[in-house]
Amino acid sequence: MPTFTREGDQPWHLWLADESPDFSIFPGGIIAGLDDPLPIRLKVGNIAYGETHIWKRHGHWVKRSGMSVPSLVYEKLGHSGQIYNTESGSKLKVSLRLSPSALLVLELIERGALHFSVTSLYAHPAHLDGQIIGRYPGRKQG
């Protein structure tokens, strides 16, 4: 497991895994117009997204994992899963079924460097809406 640090305390600051802002790579070719792979990043965030959101809204679930939010996000991004569309054109859901089963919500950020930002991560619900649009292969092992 890498060492996790953060750039600063502002919502837009990034968490870093061994000094890299990229927790994983989202494959290209799944979303129309996004042919190239894009990095997946975890922001410090606020009550609406990122590490702060995950801790404040889903902290009870995170505590059961015995991990910090950045560690759990990183761990889950190492697994493969089905990618679902959402009602929002800029967000996707990734169903990660390996224990602990989780649902990851990503948002495409087009300001600055193009990337996916982790909006939320929480215990997998019994039912998912949306259509499967592809497969997230998991993070490539170094």
Side-chain angles (χ1 to χ4, degrees):
M1 187 68 70
T3 300
F4 296 98
T5 56
R6 59 184 183 185
E7 296 176 320
D9 295 329
Q10 296 300 317
W12 58 86
H13 285 142
L14 296 170
W15 277 93
L16 308 174
D18 287 341
E19 301 184 23
S20 171
D22 302 341
F23 275 42
S24 190
I25 301 296
F26 190 89
I30 292 176
I31 299 171
L34 295 178
D35 297 329
D36 296 324
L38 292 176
I40 299 173
R41 298 177 174 167
L42 176 64
K43 293 184 172 74
V44 171
N46 59 30
I47 195 66
Y49 69 93
E51 184 262 346
T52 301
H53 163 83
I54 295 167
W55 183 250
K56 289 187 184 257
R57 295 290 307 275
H58 311 291
H60 58 286
W61 177 73
V62 174
K63 283 181 190 175
R64 286 197 306 263
S65 77
M67 299 176 147
S68 68
V69 170
S71 297
L72 185 56
V73 169
Y74 190 87
E75 172 72 20
K76 295 311 296 176
L77 284 169
H79 301 279
S80 64
Q82 295 291 335
I83 303 168
Y84 289 76
N85 64 4
T86 68
E87 61 283 346
S88 167
S90 66
K91 289 187 179 178
L92 299 171
K93 296 181 280 193
V94 182
S95 174
L96 301 163
R97 290 296 195 162
L98 287 180
S99 184
S101 187
L103 190 66
L104 175 72
V105 181
L106 299 174
E107 182 171 11
L108 180 63
I109 305 298
E110 299 184 67
R111 299 176 306 278
L114 192 63
H115 67 280
F116 278 98
S117 179
V118 175
T119 298
S120 193
L121 178 72
Y122 52 92
H124 204 290
H127 301 287
L128 280 180
D129 56 351
Q131 300 295 314
I132 295 174
I133 60 170
R135 182 154 189 82
Y136 168 72
R139 185 180 44 260
K140 302 290 184 239
Q141 301 306 315

